[in-house]
């Protein structure tokens, strides 16, 4: 090595080398900014190589074999050697620094969560690597959300008009539509708590409601020569009819006779659109939105279909016997539904208690998970792809029952009723972690059998529960407590993460006070009979 001499003069760098005899061999004059750009470029190239190496290493470690395309056998070993060479070339360290995670703003009350989709949701992609920074960020977001809900205030307002139990509720724009065992459907203007229309036409109790998206409403409105902004509501009843109602006039514009009592109803907003009904006998039937004719009928369940829920191109059906079916929507096929999975009650753990006739399975899908409520003290979480089940505590007592479960704005809401004390509440959990937030209770609130939720234009929560009473839960813009307002409290016994469940082995039944006791008590109060006919309408 020949000695090198570096001399800075102003904005220039002079590089001089000398031979052993002392003669100058090279004298290079460079601008300092050139040297700086050369070094910066070299660093950027090195950083890119480092990141590429780290990414390839992570893919090898965390990707499932079937999701790693083009890496099989010896090719995979070649990729590892290539990663090793890249990591050691140009003086790079083999361990790359942890990737930077952008700082998320604290979540506002009622707002949607950042990165709200669960891992592997819908498309079943590989689970993302959770770094410590992401975990701490999620914990901070949850803490902010919990504090906001602990300070939240709600006020209840009754919507009076039904003469029997409200079995289903639906939010459409600024309106709420409710169906009742009294055979009527009522349309309410929620801000003023006034009844706008009374839709009478069913001869037996109304069990279910649904509303097509606006684009499908516009298509039917053009066909019927109605206004472009017309909204329609679908209703299913024990009288074996599905009716289509125009909200502006309150008139029934279409009616379908299904030959079976309708126990569940939904609308598939894929392709041309279809109405899907579930029946007492376990049938799932599909009806064309254009022709109102039946295009598919499947004996999907052994017992009454109690819940139908859509998630994009997927349809989920739940039965009173605790079984779940997952369906894919086929646009161009004459039979629009293709069954993907069927999980029996031995998998879901949602078997009826002690052979009780008073059984109902409510469900709410989210990505590759389905939240299940079947009248027990806990919620079940089913991974519908694998059949694995976990249990989420929704009540601190075995005398508690869960009738309905729903999601809104990144919040999971589950009803809870204590059969022993008669206390009714709504439990809130953050999504997707399923961490317990708060419980909302009101001394005068009865058992909630159905539920709908939405956000107002100002971002406040507005919910409606149905049962013996139809009630609006209005979030207060400021904390102005009055007597009778909702109490926000936390039950530390619910501060537990979901646990794996081995079928229906949960200790969720009370020897002292059962569902039949409650039904008998209610029948004596109202003069009715606690029959399965009551359940088909009252618990839908």
């Amino acid at each position: 090595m020949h000695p090198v001499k570096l001399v800075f003069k102003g904005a220039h760098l002079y590089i001089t080398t000398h031979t052993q005899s002392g003669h100058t061999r090279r004298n290079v004059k460079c601008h300092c900014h050139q040297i700086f750009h050369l070094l910066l470029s070299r660093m950027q190239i090195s950083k890119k190589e480092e990141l590429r190496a780290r990414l390839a290493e992570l893919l090898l470690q965390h990707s499932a074999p079937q999701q790693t395309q083009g890496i099989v056998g010896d090719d995979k070993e070649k990729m590892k050697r290539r990663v090793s060479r890249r990591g050691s070339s140009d003086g790079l360290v083999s361990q790359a620094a942890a990737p930077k995670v952008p700082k998320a703003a604290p979540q506002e009350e009622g707002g949607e969560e950042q990165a709200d989709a669960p891992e592997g949701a819908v498309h079943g992609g590989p689970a993302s690597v959770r770094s410590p920074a992401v975990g701490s960020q999620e914990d901070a977001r949850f803490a902010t959300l919990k504090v906001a809900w602990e300070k939240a205030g709600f006020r209840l307002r009754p919507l009076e008009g039904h003469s029997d139990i409200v079995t289903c509720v639906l939010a459409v724009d600024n309106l709420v539509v409710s169906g009742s065992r009294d055979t009527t459907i009522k349309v309410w203007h929620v801000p003023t708590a006034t009844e706008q229309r009374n839709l009478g036409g069913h001869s037996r109790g109304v069990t279910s409601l649904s509303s097509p998206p606006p684009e499908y409403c516009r298509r039917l409105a053009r066909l019927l020569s109605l206004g472009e902004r017309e909204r329609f509501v679908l209703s299913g009843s024990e009288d074996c009819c599905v009716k289509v109602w125009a909200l502006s006039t309150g008139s029934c514009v279409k009616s379908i006779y299904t030959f079976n009592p309708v126990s569940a109803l939904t609308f598939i907003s894929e392709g041309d659109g279809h109405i899907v009904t579930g029946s007492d006998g376990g049938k799932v039937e599909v009806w064309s939105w254009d022709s109102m004719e039946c295009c598919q009928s499947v004996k999907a369940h052994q017992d009454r279909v109690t819940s139908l829920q859509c998630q994009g191109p997927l349809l989920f059906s739940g039965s009173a016997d605790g079984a779940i079916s997952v369906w894919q929507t086929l646009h161009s096929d004459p039979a629009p539904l293709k069954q993907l999975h069927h999980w029996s009650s031995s998998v879901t753990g949602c078997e009826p208690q002690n052979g009780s006739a008073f059984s109902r399975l409510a469900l709410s899908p989210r990505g590759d998970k389905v939240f299940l409520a079947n009248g027990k003290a806990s919620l079940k979480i089913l991974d519908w792809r694998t059949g694995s089940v976990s249990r989420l505590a929704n009540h601190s007592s075995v005398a508690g029952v869960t009738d309905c479960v729903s999601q809104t704005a990144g919040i999971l809401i589950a009803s809870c009723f204590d059969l022993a004390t008669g206390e009714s509440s709504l439990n809130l959990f953050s999504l997707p972690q399923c961490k317990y937030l708060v419980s909302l209770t009101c001394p005068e609130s009865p058992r909630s059998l159905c539920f709908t939720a939405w956000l107002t234009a100002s971002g406040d929560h507005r919910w409606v529960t149905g049962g013996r009473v139809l009630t609006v839960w209005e979030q207060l813009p400021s904390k102005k407590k009055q007597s009778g307002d909702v109490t926000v409290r936390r039950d530390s016994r619910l501060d537990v993460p979901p646990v794996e469940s081995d079928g229906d082995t949960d200790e969720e039944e009370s020897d002292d006070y059962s569902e039949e006791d409650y039904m008998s008590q209610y029948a004596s109060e109202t003069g009715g009979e606690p029959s399965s006919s009551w359940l088909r309408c009252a618990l839908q």
Side-chain angles (χ1 to χ4, degrees):
M1 293 291 295
H2 301 296
V4 178
K5 182 179 180 180
L6 302 179
V7 178
F8 288 93
K9 290 185 179 180
H12 298 90
L13 171 67
Y14 293 88
I15 305 175
T16 305
T17 59
H18 299 275
T19 63
Q20 293 179 355
S21 59
H23 298 287
T24 300
R25 294 188 57 184
R26 185 177 301 170
N27 194 339
V28 182
K29 175 183 177 182
C30 300
H31 285 282
C32 291
H33 74 272
Q34 292 176 333
I35 299 296
F36 172 76
H37 285 301
L38 287 173
L39 293 174
L40 180 61
S41 176
R42 184 62 177 172
M43 290 174 61
Q44 290 175 340
I45 293 173
S46 300
K47 190 64 176 178
K48 288 180 180 178
E49 291 293 334
E50 182 182 358
L51 290 176
R52 289 194 187 100
R54 182 58 177 164
L55 177 60
E57 188 177 359
L58 290 174
L59 286 175
L60 289 175
Q61 292 175 359
H62 298 283
S63 294
Q66 67 272 18
Q67 294 165 339
T68 308
Q69 299 180 357
I71 303 178
V72 181
D74 294 338
D75 291 337
K76 187 172 181 179
E77 295 300 323
K78 291 178 182 178
M79 173 64 78
K80 289 182 178 179
R81 290 194 294 271
R82 192 178 304 127
V83 169
S84 178
R85 286 197 299 270
R86 285 183 177 179
S88 58
S89 63
D90 299 325
L92 296 179
V93 293
S94 59
Q95 291 280 340
K100 293 182 179 180
V101 180
K103 185 177 181 180
Q107 182 183 348
E108 296 182 0
E109 180 181 350
E112 284 287 355
E113 291 189 57
Q114 310 281 339
D116 206 21
E119 296 177 351
V122 182
H123 298 292
S128 58
V129 180
R130 175 176 170 152
S131 68
V134 173
S136 60
Q137 196 174 51
E138 289 180 354
D139 293 340
R141 186 164 57 231
F142 171 77
T144 302
L145 185 64
K146 182 167 69 72
V147 170
W149 276 108
E150 288 174 345
K151 297 178 180 179
F154 278 82
R155 183 162 298 160
L156 303 188
R157 290 184 298 154
L159 300 178
E160 300 176 348
H162 284 294
S163 60
D164 210 328
I165 288 178
V166 176
T167 59
C168 46
V169 288
L170 175 71
V172 183
D173 297 334
N174 206 28
L175 302 173
V176 163
V177 185
S178 59
S180 170
R181 198 172 63 166
D182 64 9
T183 74
T184 67
I185 301 163
K186 293 186 182 293
V187 182
W188 309 85
H189 184 252
V190 176
T192 59
T194 57
E195 178 184 332
Q196 282 200 337
R197 298 195 180 279
N198 181 37
L199 313 181
H202 286 293
S203 59
R204 298 190 67 182
V206 179
T207 60
S208 47
L209 295 167
S210 184
S211 178
E215 57 267 28
Y216 293 92
C217 292
R218 285 193 292 269
R219 204 168 76 202
L220 181 59
R222 286 193 294 269
L223 183 64
L224 300 174
S225 300
L226 298 175
E228 284 287 319
R229 295 187 178 182
E230 183 63 73
R231 294 302 302 269
F232 298 96
V233 169
L234 313 173
S235 64
S237 169
E238 281 197 315
D239 62 6
C240 306
C241 285
V242 172
K243 294 186 181 294
V244 183
W245 307 86
L247 287 184
S248 64
T249 61
S251 59
C252 178
V253 297
K254 296 283 184 179
S255 184
I256 303 173
Y257 188 74
T258 66
F259 296 95
N260 297 282
V262 179
S263 55
L265 174 73
T266 193
F267 186 88
I268 297 179
S269 55
E270 297 285 332
D272 294 333
H274 294 86
I275 303 170
V276 184
T277 59
S279 75
D280 262 9
K283 280 187 178 181
V284 172
E285 296 182 300
V286 186
W287 310 80
S288 169
W289 177 240
D290 294 325
S291 65
M292 300 292 170
E293 295 180 354
C294 184
C295 48
Q296 187 177 8
S297 180
V298 183
K299 175 67 173 177
H301 296 281
Q302 299 302 314
D303 205 338
R304 180 179 62 260
V305 179
T306 62
S307 184
L308 289 169
Q309 297 289 334
C310 286
Q311 178 182 260
L314 299 177
L315 173 72
F316 299 81
S317 60
S319 171
D321 63 8
I324 295 289
S325 285
V326 185
W327 311 80
Q328 181 183 5
T329 304
L330 306 176
H331 297 169
S332 58
D333 200 290
L337 293 183
K338 175 186 177 182
Q339 190 176 61
L340 298 178
H341 298 278
H342 179 83
W343 302 108
S344 66
S345 59
S346 61
V347 175
T348 65
C350 294
E351 295 156 342
Q353 302 181 43
N354 296 328
S356 169
F358 304 104
S359 58
R360 175 184 183 250
L361 179 63
L363 55 88
S364 179
R366 178 185 176 81
D368 53 4
K369 303 292 191 296
V370 186
F371 298 98
L372 311 175
N374 69 320
K376 295 185 180 180
S378 297
L379 288 169
K380 296 291 179 64
I381 307 175
L382 168 70
D383 187 320
W384 59 265
R385 296 182 184 275
T386 64
S388 61
V389 178
S390 56
R391 190 173 75 251
L392 178 64
N394 189 51
H395 203 282
S396 55
S397 167
V398 293
V401 295
T402 306
D403 292 303
C404 49
V405 58
S406 184
Q407 302 170 51
T408 179
I411 301 296
L412 178 70
I413 305 174
S415 69
C416 185
F417 182 76
D418 194 312
L419 294 169
T421 65
E423 181 182 73
S424 179
S425 62
L426 296 177
N427 293 332
L428 276 59
F429 303 85
S430 68
L431 292 173
Q433 303 90 349
C434 297
K435 290 185 177 180
Y436 171 66
L437 290 169
V438 294
S439 297
L440 307 179
T441 62
C442 182
E444 301 177 358
S445 178
R447 182 176 180 178
S448 299
L449 302 178
C450 52
F451 180 87
T452 188
W454 71 102
L455 294 178
T456 64
S458 60
D460 293 327
H461 284 263
R462 187 174 284 165
W463 308 333
V464 175
T465 56
R468 297 190 196 180
V469 179
L470 186 63
T471 306
V472 178
W473 298 60
E474 191 88 37
Q475 186 176 6
L476 303 176
S478 59
K479 198 169 184 180
K480 299 178 180 178
K481 281 282 187 179
Q482 295 181 2
S483 60
D485 281 351
V486 174
T487 302
V488 179
R489 60 178 176 82
R490 297 196 84 255
D491 188 343
S492 59
R493 291 170 293 185
L494 301 184
D495 264 329
V496 292
V499 295
E500 293 297 322
S501 177
D502 298 326
D504 194 20
T505 59
D506 307 333
E507 60 316 323
E508 296 178 326
E509 300 175 14
S510 172
D511 297 332
D512 300 325
Y513 204 74
S514 66
E515 179 81 2
E516 285 83 353
D517 296 329
Y518 174 80
M519 294 300 180
S520 300
Q521 175 185 339
Y522 177 79
S524 64
E525 293 175 359
T526 60
E529 292 294 330
S531 65
S532 59
S533 175
W534 186 95
L535 171 76
R536 285 196 295 266
C537 188
L539 289 185
Q540 279 299 318

